[in-house]
Amino acid sequence: MNDDQLDFDIVIVGAGFAGVFQLHKLRASGFSVVLLEAGSGLGGIWHWNCYPGARVDSHVPVYEFSDEDLWRDWYWDERFPDWKALRSYFAYLDEKWDLSRDIKFDTRVTGATWNEDGSTWHVATDNGDAVRCRFMVVCTGFASKPHIPDFDGLDDFRGISTHTARWPQEGLDMTGLRVGIIGTGASGVQVTQEAAKVAASVTVFQRTPIMALAMQQRALTRDEQDHAKAGYPAIFQTRTETFAGFDIIRSDHGAFDVDDDERRAGFERMWQAGGFTFWAGNYGDVMIDEAANRTAYDFWRGKVHERVNDPAVAEILAPTEPPHPFGVKRPSLEQTYYDLFNQANVTLVDLQANPIKRITAAGVRTAATEHEFDLIVLATGFDAVTGGLTSIDFEGTNGRRLKASWAEGVHTHLGLASVGFPNLVYLYGPQSPSGFCNGPTCAEVQGGWVIDLLTHLRDRGVTRIEATQEAEQAWSEQVAMISEMSLFTKADSWYMGANIPGKKRELLNYPGGIPLYADQCRTSAANGYSGFELAQGPTRSTEAG
Ligand code: NA7
């Protein structure tokens, strides 16, 4: 390779929904593209997540691509598919879109350096491969960096300990084991439901109660899916018109527009619909008005208390006073979670009353006692939204580092690009709707915009694009302004970066919803990509293209 040549027009990082969509579309548009993926297979988080019970909280058919050529012949077995079904879906995508031929697996991008003279990125990987490209599209998702708390003594534990996202790919049988599960987010709830079926004992360590909603899981037949497919185009359209990219419409009514009986009946209908309906389809003011929010909380609490026999345990799971408003920390979906606490082999430890002191050789020592385990499951979440990006050592203009640049808080334009990092776009990143948005919706809405952008630049011979300082500032102000109007700031959540010690507390995602977000992306494009500086630089050719 000589200095005038690039290896590829575009390097994509990550083979989850966002990355494979980019690969498929960019290749079809004639770009030379390679996708670098740290894992050994497709799927992003669904490559890593294989703990028992791992499944998506989005219902069929919203968690798949809208391309009819895909969904026409694809069938799911359950309304909320598990990780095995999702891996099969990615295998199907590979077959239909012939993805793997342009993917380098087991290749973790460790750093990338901007070369101003050539308007190129030089990408470094952990296996020594280096790649030179014009543009980078980083699709590392919001949950690619597991968070393992700094517990004293974690290395002393003589049993097995694993983070949910690093569950052994060959499997780990919990039958007959004494299992400790730390964390009660979506992963903790799911793994607890499976552990309770087979383990000798399950001890759940809860720091903050999860407001888990009824999944209302059920099997799906091929016939009913064939019948439903006539409505898929409308569902996929609706997905782009709702706040969170689902086909669930929030009510036009406020919680107090109706009387108590009618409100309860409304809540019950949402509950029976299952999934995120009670969250995304609730009364219009539930996410912005604390009194309205409290009515939803109290209904949810009543549902939990109906199922848990011991009132003291029920009170820990669903306290009289909410730890934070309902829905401002991500709810999980559950099937049997609350019933399990009636089983003799399941114990709940309230870490508020009884914090973890240290991990010992035998298990977990809290202020009150030592619990002995064969397996400790760390369902402790992720350095969400930014962790995947800041784990890569991006060096932009004048030696600027992305991680350092965001140390005092994130700043982006459209949640897609940052000053000092030309020709670099990231999908599902900070200040985009990502954390609030159904994955495939975001992959298509944001991803489609990126494909149009890259095509526009190529067609006009533009070799350098960078967000402007003014645009970045305006976007950050907009995110801050909308978040002040919401209740999101009232919880210590990964939405707020508050789950990681030392991370700046701020709303990490765009809280204005998909339609408003997409509108502003479209306006920028219609104005020749306002908020970005476009320049024609030196011409380079690719070896591949
Ligand atoms: P989450 O939702 O971030 O949950 C992590 C859980 O781990 C949560 O209950 C935390 O309690 C708990 N946690 C984290 N650190 C500690 C320490 N140090 N001690 C005790 N407990 C701790 O991660 P998930 O993997 O469940 O889900 C991530 C996303 O994936 C989810 O939102 C979906 O979008 C899919 P806390 O609530 O912080 O008190």
Side-chain angles (χ1 to χ4, degrees):
M1 182 173 74
N2 66 45
D3 272 356
D4 287 339
Q5 285 180 322
L6 300 171
D7 300 301
F8 296 95
D9 295 326
I10 300 164
V11 166
I12 301 165
V13 187
F17 274 101
V20 300
F21 186 77
Q22 290 297 308
L23 175 58
H24 173 59
K25 294 283 183 185
L26 289 171
R27 213 170 46 183
S29 302
F31 290 99
S32 70
V33 190
V34 69
L35 191 156
L36 306 179
E37 164 57 50
S40 59
L42 292 170
I45 192 66
W46 302 112
H47 166 73
W48 298 102
N49 266 353
C50 60
Y51 61 83
R55 73 177 63 248
V56 67
D57 283 344
S58 299
H59 59 271
V60 170
V62 296
Y63 201 69
E64 62 185 275
F65 286 120
S66 64
D67 180 350
E68 182 171 353
D69 191 39
L70 295 171
W71 57 254
R72 205 175 35 231
D73 300 320
W74 178 257
Y75 296 89
W76 302 95
D77 293 333
E78 293 178 302
R79 186 177 179 222
F80 293 89
D82 71 3
W83 63 275
K84 289 183 191 155
L86 286 155
R87 284 193 185 179
S88 300
Y89 182 67
F90 273 91
Y92 174 69
L93 289 178
D94 202 7
E95 189 190 310
K96 296 287 279 189
W97 285 355
D98 193 15
L99 296 163
S100 286
R101 72 180 153 93
D102 288 311
I103 302 180
K104 285 182 195 289
F105 292 106
D106 299 308
T107 304
R108 181 176 289 280
V109 172
T110 51
T113 307
W114 174 246
N115 174 275
E116 192 67 74
D117 293 340
S119 289
T120 52
W121 280 101
H122 293 196
V123 183
T125 68
D126 64 350
N127 62 18
D129 286 352
V131 184
R132 190 155 42 184
C133 63
R134 171 79 64 224
F135 297 100
M136 290 189 75
V137 182
V138 186
C139 304
T140 44
F142 78 100
S144 62
K145 186 178 177 196
H147 167 56
I148 297 184
D150 192 13
F151 292 123
D152 277 348
L154 193 53
D155 292 338
D156 300 342
F157 181 56
R158 277 199 306 261
I160 302 169
S161 75
T162 179
H163 188 279
T164 44
R166 291 295 177 267
W167 197 268
Q169 292 289 331
E170 64 278 14
L172 174 54
D173 184 4
M174 295 189 283
T175 305
L177 302 186
R178 297 164 302 166
V179 182
I181 299 173
I182 304 178
T184 57
S187 308
V189 166
Q190 292 181 344
V191 79
T192 298
Q193 292 179 148
E194 297 307 308
K197 290 179 189 165
V198 297
S201 66
V202 180
T203 306
V204 178
F205 294 91
Q206 172 191 289
R207 191 166 66 178
T208 310
I210 175 87
M211 294 175 202
L213 308 176
M215 177 175 272
Q216 312 290 15
Q217 172 72 308
R218 61 183 177 81
L220 296 178
T221 65
R222 284 175 82 95
D223 273 0
E224 73 177 300
Q225 288 174 79
D226 279 334
H227 186 70
K229 281 181 183 184
Y232 276 20
I235 290 174
F236 292 128
Q237 179 59 33
T238 305
R239 215 168 62 157
T240 67
E241 294 164 358
T242 60
F243 180 94
F246 288 87
D247 59 343
I248 301 171
I249 315 280
R250 196 169 284 288
S251 169
D252 287 339
H253 296 294
F256 299 111
D257 293 347
V258 293
D259 66 25
D260 291 355
D261 287 346
E262 202 177 333
R263 187 181 327 109
R264 259 194 304 275
F267 282 151
E268 188 61 36
R269 273 194 303 276
M270 297 168 205
W271 194 262
Q272 294 309 329
F276 283 144
T277 309
F278 192 77
W279 186 32
N282 214 308
Y283 292 107
D285 49 359
V286 159
M287 296 301 290
I288 47 177
D289 177 79
E290 284 200 71
N293 188 283
R294 182 66 191 255
T295 63
Y297 179 84
D298 289 343
F299 179 88
W300 167 82
R301 179 176 179 272
K303 285 286 184 192
V304 175
H305 280 247
E306 276 169 18
R307 286 165 63 188
V308 180
N309 297 340
D310 182 339
V313 174
E315 186 61 20
I316 297 167
L317 291 165
T320 308
E321 283 309 312
H324 50 75
F326 164 74
V328 300
K329 191 162 176 169
R330 187 185 179 284
S332 174
L333 301 186
E334 59 84 31
Q335 301 178 68
T336 56
Y337 184 66
Y338 293 112
D339 311 306
L340 300 177
F341 294 96
N342 302 325
Q343 284 182 206
N345 68 335
V346 180
T347 307
L348 180 66
V349 175
D350 176 8
L351 295 180
Q352 303 279 352
N354 200 4
I356 293 175
K357 290 289 180 206
R358 59 174 295 122
I359 309 293
T360 64
V364 175
R365 184 176 302 145
T366 62
T369 187
E370 182 167 6
H371 302 263
E372 295 194 0
F373 298 122
D374 305 303
L375 169 66
I376 297 177
V377 179
L378 298 165
T380 44
F382 300 87
D383 181 358
V385 188
T386 53
L389 288 161
T390 55
S391 301
I392 299 173
D393 184 16
F394 287 108
E395 182 181 343
T397 55
N398 304 315
R400 188 171 183 154
R401 296 311 224 272
L402 189 66
K403 186 174 181 182
S405 170
W406 286 349
E408 301 304 318
V410 293
H411 38 94
T412 76
H413 180 40
L414 297 173
L416 278 156
S418 288
V419 174
F421 299 89
N423 294 13
L424 174 76
V425 288
Y426 35 83
L427 293 178
Y428 231 63
Q431 299 188 336
S432 83
S434 59
F436 300 140
C437 184
N438 175 51
T441 311
C442 214
E444 291 186 354
V445 170
Q446 244 198 336
W449 188 90
V450 165
I451 289 150
D452 290 347
L453 166 73
L454 293 169
T455 309
H456 174 97
L457 300 181
R458 180 187 59 191
D459 293 351
R460 283 156 189 77
V462 174
T463 51
R464 190 186 192 284
I465 179 169
E466 184 179 355
T468 68
Q469 193 74 54
E470 301 71 43
E472 202 180 74
Q473 191 174 334
W475 189 254
S476 297
E477 283 169 6
Q478 186 184 148
V479 172
M481 185 193 70
I482 306 176
S483 55
E484 282 313 312
M485 291 167 7
S486 78
L487 298 176
F488 288 115
T489 54
K490 295 191 180 286
D492 287 336
S493 64
W494 62 257
Y495 290 158
M496 294 296 300
N499 63 325
I500 303 297
K503 192 164 173 174
K504 163 141 185 187
R505 196 174 194 285
E506 61 180 330
L507 190 57
L508 286 167
N509 291 118
Y510 179 75
I514 287 283
L516 189 57
Y517 176 77
D519 222 39
Q520 295 179 83
C521 290
R522 274 192 296 268
T523 304
S524 165
N527 293 322
Y529 294 95
S530 53
F532 295 92
E533 224 163 65
L534 279 55
Q536 266 135 0
T539 309
R540 293 284 188 276
S541 61
T542 60
E543 284 175 343

